[in-house]
Structure formats: C-alpha cells, structure tokens
C-alpha cells in the first residue's frame, strides 16, 4: 500500500513539474509575411447596436507565451454567437487564426492563457456577431518582446 501511494505521489509530482505546452498563435513563417499595404480599415460608422469587443490583455510589451484575453458584450437582449468569432492576423495575405483560438472562445469572450508568438508586433482583427446578426469588430496590436 505504501508503495502504491509513493508511486502516486511521484507520478503527480512529475505531472506538475512538466513544462506546460503553450498554444501557437502565430508561427515564425507567418510572422515573416509582409504587413498589409496602406491603412487597416475598421468599419465603425455611426451608432451601432452590434456587440462590443474589448481587448483586455496583454499590456504594452510582453514576452511569449502570454495571455490573450478579450471580452464580448452584447446589447438589446441579443446574445453573442461564439461560432461567429473570426480572428485574423493582418498580413499580406491575411492569416486566419480562428481555428487556433476556437477552443478558447466562449460567449463572454476569448481567454487564451498561453498564446505563443515570436518576438515582434502583430496587428490582429477580431470579428463577432450577436444572435440578431449584428457585427462587432476590434483591431489591436500585440507587442512581443524578445526572451
């Protein structure tokens, strides 16, 4: 019985001490793509009742892996449609990051605690729709410092 207990303790210690795997968000090859030409368009005309997408973290310049947290807010009784969320890395051509982020998407927002990116600056656009089909968008820049 003591031996089984000891083996269990050792196994638990090994699991806890193993380095956690970060989730790749942008690869080295994608980071080398040229930036978009001209200005990045953001469709925010007039007063909209569409959902709000708020960039929460990370802060100014962080090292990788880092938390990527966004908050969704809907209005007028509508609900956020998590299946409508689309995440693009704005490059030429744009890189669709949606499949990489999808496991971390909920109606409340995106909570990806271990996003892995190479050092650099990355402009990302997040689109979402509510249950009434109204769109919401935000564009933000991730600044990743060298390790």
């Amino acid at each position: 019985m003591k031996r089984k207990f000891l083996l269990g303790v050792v196994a638990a210690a090994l699991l806890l001490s193993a380095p956690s795997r970060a989730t790749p968000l942008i690869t080295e090859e994608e980071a080398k793509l040229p930036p978009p030409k001209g200005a990045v368009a953001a469709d925010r005309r007039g007063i909209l009742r569409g959902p709000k997408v708020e960039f929460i973290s990370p802060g100014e310049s962080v090292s990788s892996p880092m938390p990527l947290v966004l908050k969704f807010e809907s209005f007028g009784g509508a609900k956020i449609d998590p299946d409508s969320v689309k995440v693009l890395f704005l490059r030429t051509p744009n890189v669709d990051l949606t499949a990489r982020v999808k496991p971390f998407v909920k109606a409340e927002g995106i909570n990806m605690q271990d996003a892995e990116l190479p050092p650099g600056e990355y402009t990302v656009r997040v689109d979402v729709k509510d249950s009434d089909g109204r769109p919401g968008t935000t564009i933000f820049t991730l600044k990743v410092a060298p390790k």
Side-chain angles (χ1 to χ4, degrees):
M1 177 122 163
K2 261 186 175 178
R3 184 178 175 145
K4 285 183 182 179
F5 175 76
L6 248 157
L7 286 174
V9 169
V10 169
L14 287 174
L15 285 174
L16 291 175
S17 66
S20 62
R21 286 288 301 154
T23 306
L25 182 63
I26 295 173
T27 66
E28 292 278 347
E29 294 78 30
E30 293 164 344
K32 293 176 185 173
L33 291 171
K37 291 182 175 35
V40 176
D43 188 16
R44 297 298 295 174
R45 294 169 278 168
I47 299 172
L48 301 175
R49 291 182 36 198
K52 178 180 173 185
V53 182
E54 183 180 357
F55 176 68
I56 304 294
S57 76
E60 281 298 308
S61 182
V62 296
S63 60
S64 181
M66 66 172 148
L68 175 63
V69 181
L70 290 98
K71 180 180 157 191
F72 302 149
E73 184 180 359
S74 59
F75 302 98
K79 305 277 187 233
I80 297 294
D81 177 8
D83 292 332
S84 73
V85 173
K86 187 165 186 168
V87 182
L88 291 175
F89 172 35
L90 301 180
R91 282 298 205 222
T92 304
N94 288 338
V95 179
D96 191 346
L97 305 175
T98 306
R100 299 174 203 171
V101 174
K102 203 57 130 174
F104 307 97
V105 173
K106 305 240 182 307
E108 301 80 36
I110 298 172
N111 188 351
M112 185 178 194
Q113 288 299 308
D114 59 352
E116 183 77 42
L117 299 90
E121 287 191 23
Y122 308 104
T123 304
V124 178
R125 185 173 104 194
V126 177
D127 299 316
V128 65
K129 290 184 181 176
D130 64 17
S131 55
D132 292 337
R134 293 183 298 242
T137 298
T138 193
I139 297 174
F140 55 90
T141 300
L142 297 171
K143 295 178 184 176
V144 183
K147 293 182 181 185

